[in-house]
Amino acid sequence: MRIAQNIAAISSKLPGHVQLVAVSKHQPVLSIAEAYAAGHRHFGENRVQELVEKSKSLPADIKWHMIGHLQTNKVKLVLPIAYLIHSVDRLSLLDEINAQAAKRQKPARVLLQVHIANEETKFGFEANEMSALVGAAAAGKWPALMIVGLMGMATNTEDRFQVEKEFKELNSLYQQLKIENAPSEWWQPTELSMGMSSDYETAVACGSTCVRVGSAIFGSPLP
Ligand SMILES: *Cc1c(COP(=O)(O)O)cnc(C)c1O
């Protein structure tokens, strides 16, 4: 029961309002089943094919979080499964999720991914585009989307100060957007998704409401 113990140990360090998403990417269904048996329900995947396969063989009350870069042509497959899409990182993806959610007549719950890392490689909108973007969204530009907050990934570095600085910046952006835009049908900000195995405690101290933890629960994924 190593997985269940890891979840219990991490949960005990999280304030009650912080959601722990167990990132089960590259992990076998049996490992997810072990966490499920211990009562855990929120799991994160970053590949569409894996999400689809795993959701078929696991209980229907699992809340699946799509956390990885999403190709527009895979949106159709993800919408019926995902409880929340964290990784909405570009306009074409917003448009496609909106179009597919409209077809299903079911609003899609999403987070907007913001590029906060000091690295070229991470996806996301730039912080300085967010005011205009959320303003338009909150006014109903994407009528089939429900934006419930922001997501960000800090720089992969040992430098705690750098990581802390990035998380604080994302939190202040989030607070600013909440002040600028009253909640509407399309903008219902409750989630700030930040923090992974190496930095979730820092993220929580900086205002995270949702941590995405993989290797600290399941061990390192198989290559
Ligand atoms: C893999 C992944 C995580 C979890 O990473 P760990 O370091 O294993 O906790 C969190 N968020 C995203 C977007 C990921 O791809």
Side-chain angles (χ1 to χ4, degrees), residues 45-48 65-71 75 78 82 84-91 93-94 97 109-114 123-125 149-153 193 212:
E45 291 287 337
N46 71 337
R47 293 218 190 121
V48 174
H65 296 248
M66 177 62 197
I67 62 170
H69 185 65
L70 179 55
Q71 287 172 262
V75 167
V78 171
L84 179 62
I85 303 174
H86 291 233
S87 42
V88 179
D89 57 3
R90 60 198 190 281
L91 284 173
L93 187 57
L94 274 175
I97 297 175
R109 299 176 72 253
V110 305
L111 302 177
L112 300 176
Q113 181 170 356
V114 184
F123 297 107
F125 293 103
L150 306 182
M151 183 271 232
M153 290 170 84
S193 169
R212 311 174 310 268

Side-chain angles (χ1 to χ4, degrees), residues 21-26 44-46 66-69 86-87 113 151-153 193 195-200 211-217 219-221:
V21 175
V23 175
S24 47
K25 65 184 185 197
H26 316 317
E45 291 287 337
N46 71 337
M66 177 62 197
I67 62 170
H69 185 65
H86 291 233
S87 42
Q113 181 170 356
M151 183 271 232
M153 290 170 84
S193 169
M196 321 194 342
S197 292
S198 60
D199 56 21
Y200 71 87
V211 294
R212 311 174 310 268
V213 179
S215 47
I217 292 175
S220 294

